[in-house]
Amino acid sequence: MAKMILVIEDETSIQNIIRAFLEDAGYTVVLASDGLEGIRQFRARKPDLVLLDLMLPKIDGFAVCEILRGESRVPIIMLTALDDDASQLKGFDALADDYITKPFSMPVVMKHIEAVLRRAEPGAAPSNVIRYREITLDPDSMTVLVGRESVFLTVREFEILKLLLENQGRVLSRERLLDSVWGYGYIGNEKIVNTHIKNIRKKLGVDYIETIRGAGYKIEKET
């Protein structure tokens, strides 16, 4: 079955370009021209991925992202003219999975979509459950438990935690995390890693991720 992508974008010309590329690639496309309509379409259609503009009528993309993320872990890619670091960090603080600035190349956007969808596939990771103290991480179902409590993580947060747990006792640099989780083609601010680590710590409620100043992050090997 074709993957469904919801495009929340108020500029008709950009809508048409994105829809043409997506449909040519075999995706089913749902369009929304403002934030409120985007939320309604999301709830009604349950897409596999959301392409989200930030400068939207009625309710902006940051607020839309926070609302959607409160209801689902469906991947969200922000497409926006806001290319400053503060906006990008705000986007990731809102738990977006990716952030692409305008003007953009549609072939590059398509690669980002493929990568995010691939990471979101339940069977994309090894099938071995990882247990560390109170934490249980299941790559097949992409679920995380702390004790018996389920913890919601975005796709990238999940991958960062999984990588740290797989490399207990080893310091992973920000560059290593960027290459492994965002991909070697990523061009952006390394502070994005800091934001994701902060979110993981907050959500887990247990702080096993140690910051190694000037080097990166690690989780101590369980004895």
Side-chain angles (χ1 to χ4, degrees):
M1 180 180 292
K3 296 284 188 182
M4 179 184 296
I5 297 180
L6 170 60
V7 179
I8 309 176
E9 166 64 60
D10 64 323
E11 293 188 35
T12 304
S13 59
I14 296 178
Q15 276 189 358
N16 291 337
I17 292 170
I18 294 174
R19 178 171 60 183
F21 271 86
L22 292 176
E23 289 181 344
D24 283 348
Y27 295 105
T28 299
V29 180
V30 178
L31 300 177
S33 297
D34 63 66
L36 291 178
E37 176 63 18
I39 294 168
R40 285 193 291 267
Q41 292 283 15
F42 180 85
R43 291 169 175 167
R45 305 298 294 274
K46 302 188 184 307
D48 297 288
L49 182 141
V50 177
L51 292 180
L52 175 63
D53 187 21
L54 292 182
M55 300 170 69
L56 293 168
K58 299 184 179 179
I59 177 172
D60 70 34
F62 292 116
V64 171
C65 185
E66 290 176 353
I67 291 169
L68 300 189
R69 188 52 76 227
E71 301 176 6
S72 171
R73 65 186 303 154
V74 166
I76 298 172
I77 299 177
M78 291 181 169
L79 297 175
T80 176
L82 301 175
D83 60 357
D84 58 286
D85 287 351
S87 294
Q88 293 189 47
L89 291 172
K90 185 177 179 181
F92 286 110
D93 279 338
L95 305 183
D97 293 280
D98 208 344
Y99 192 106
I100 303 173
T101 58
K102 300 176 182 177
F104 49 75
S105 161
M106 274 310 301
V108 172
V109 171
M110 298 300 292
K111 290 297 183 183
H112 279 261
I113 291 170
E114 291 170 11
V116 170
L117 285 173
R118 186 166 57 248
R119 289 193 293 266
E121 286 291 338
S127 59
N128 295 327
V129 172
I130 302 172
R131 293 182 175 86
Y132 181 85
R133 300 185 184 179
E134 305 102 309
I135 299 172
T136 302
L137 182 147
D138 185 347
D140 282 344
S141 62
M142 291 193 70
T143 55
V144 175
L145 299 177
V146 177
R148 296 185 178 181
E149 295 294 321
S150 178
V151 176
F152 171 84
L153 297 180
T154 67
V155 173
R156 283 208 168 115
E157 290 166 356
F158 184 92
E159 291 190 354
I160 289 171
L161 179 60
K162 177 174 175 287
L163 197 60
L164 288 167
L165 290 173
E166 288 175 337
N167 291 274
Q168 294 173 29
R170 299 177 183 174
V171 177
L172 300 185
S173 67
R174 291 175 180 82
E175 292 83 358
R176 165 79 183 277
L177 292 170
L178 283 170
D179 289 344
S180 298
V181 177
W182 277 262
Y184 288 97
Y186 175 77
I187 300 174
N189 195 315
E190 289 184 4
K191 291 180 181 178
I192 287 170
V193 175
N194 303 1
T195 299
H196 280 65
I197 294 290
K198 179 185 71 175
N199 289 336
I200 295 168
R201 286 169 170 159
K202 181 178 179 180
K203 291 179 180 182
L204 292 179
V206 290
D207 189 7
Y208 296 135
I209 302 176
E210 183 180 354
T211 300
I212 309 300
R213 190 175 297 276
Y217 301 96
K218 75 170 181 177
I219 288 179
E220 286 290 353
K221 191 170 184 178
E222 189 171 25
T223 56

